[in-house]
Amino acid sequence: MCSTIDVEPAMDITFLQTADPLNYNEMMLATSQTVIRFCKTNACRYESYTGIKKGYFSWHSTFNRCYMLKELMDRGYKGWAVYLDADAYIADLSFDLHSFLASKHNFAAIMAISDDNERSWWDVNAGVVMLNFAEPLARLIVERWHALTEAIPDSRMRAARNFSQDGFDDQIFLQSILRDEPSLEESIYNPPISLINSPTATFIRQFFRAADSNLERRTANIAREVRQILQHHDPAAGNYRQNDDAETALTHALYNAILHRPADTSGLQSFVPYLQQLGLVDGAGFLARELVNSREFASTYGR
């Protein structure tokens, strides 16, 4: 399932997010609120995909990112692509991304080094990646990344039930591409993790699995911080309103139509702010698909 927000940009910047429908989609539903708000106020585009483009198990959705980047590139896109994992979100909605990227126009990619600054330049975290498709080297990276993913045998995918089982995932592929091509180093900008790719980053934060392996608790913590960010940016945002406004009424209507019950508090807290960001027309279809793909719908109707 794909969602797109299209805004006429001053500089071509497209944000991308993806998640599997069963485990991480609820998390992306929360984090995307900050990304969509940022895109709408900063003339950026937004695309998301819910599903699995290659593989069988929920964690295989990690491979979606290289497919989304390849698809964007194949459309002839020559702007910046900013990819965020489902557990990454924008903490500073007023950050001047246009000026930041303009100052890095001669780089093919912006990727933070994993964990600490003592690691090698190629040991990057793929949870937040910025690629400048105006640069041939950025396109080369994506082509190779996609080729490595496409080359994974089906039997290996079927056997890999758990994350990084058998020592492979697309972050490892990306790191190997950079490591094996030292000439790329001058074209890669490694920003400090105080800016992106850390739980305390000032612009794009990421709440890593390593910090809390409990998915429900991590999702709840992220959703709470997202609400705080939205409320700080706009005190009227980030909270659903108790009165029977359009977003609340639509959420209840779709819950009743699909799950045959009214929306509960957690559903309102999750979906109403999203509808406020996305709009009723685009949001209605998205919410309907989310409910049809939910565990509750599957357990009730045997999907």
Side-chain angles (χ1 to χ4, degrees), residues 140-155:
L140 175 67
I141 290 169
V142 172
E143 289 281 7
R144 292 184 177 177
W145 201 3
H146 178 262
L148 286 174
T149 303
E150 278 286 273
I152 303 172
D154 184 73
S155 59

Side-chain angles (χ1 to χ4, degrees), residues 22 255-256 258-264 266-267 290-303:
L22 295 180
Y255 263 78
N256 281 317
I258 296 171
L259 300 180
H260 302 294
R261 66 172 178 84
D264 52 19
S266 64
E290 293 302 304
L291 295 177
V292 169
N293 288 326
S294 69
R295 290 174 177 167
E296 181 177 343
F297 186 89
S299 64
T300 303
Y301 298 101
R303 287 184 69 254

Side-chain angles (χ1 to χ4, degrees), residues 147-247:
L148 286 174
T149 303
E150 278 286 273
I152 303 172
D154 184 73
S155 59
R156 193 178 189 191
M157 296 298 295
R158 290 183 182 275
R161 292 179 173 272
N162 301 314
F163 181 74
S164 286
Q165 181 175 317
D166 199 23
F168 80 99
D169 65 60
D170 68 326
Q171 178 170 284
I172 292 174
F173 291 168
L174 176 60
Q175 292 170 348
S176 69
I177 292 166
L178 302 180
R179 183 188 64 237
D180 296 343
E181 192 64 63
S183 62
L184 289 172
E185 182 175 4
E186 292 184 356
S187 298
I188 307 298
Y189 175 69
N190 297 130
I193 59 173
S194 60
L195 181 67
I196 65 171
N197 276 108
S198 74
T200 58
T202 56
F203 176 36
I204 301 178
R205 293 178 184 165
Q206 188 168 12
F207 197 150
F208 301 116
R209 183 191 308 104
D212 190 343
S213 60
N214 184 294
L215 180 61
E216 291 185 0
R217 185 169 57 236
R218 187 156 60 109
T219 301
N221 287 335
I222 288 174
R224 182 171 58 251
E225 183 156 349
V226 163
R227 288 194 295 272
Q228 292 172 351
I229 291 167
L230 294 174
Q231 288 172 333
H232 178 74
H233 181 76
D234 178 0
N239 257 331
Y240 75 92
R241 297 183 288 273
Q242 293 286 354
N243 61 306
D244 192 24
D245 59 15
E247 292 88 354

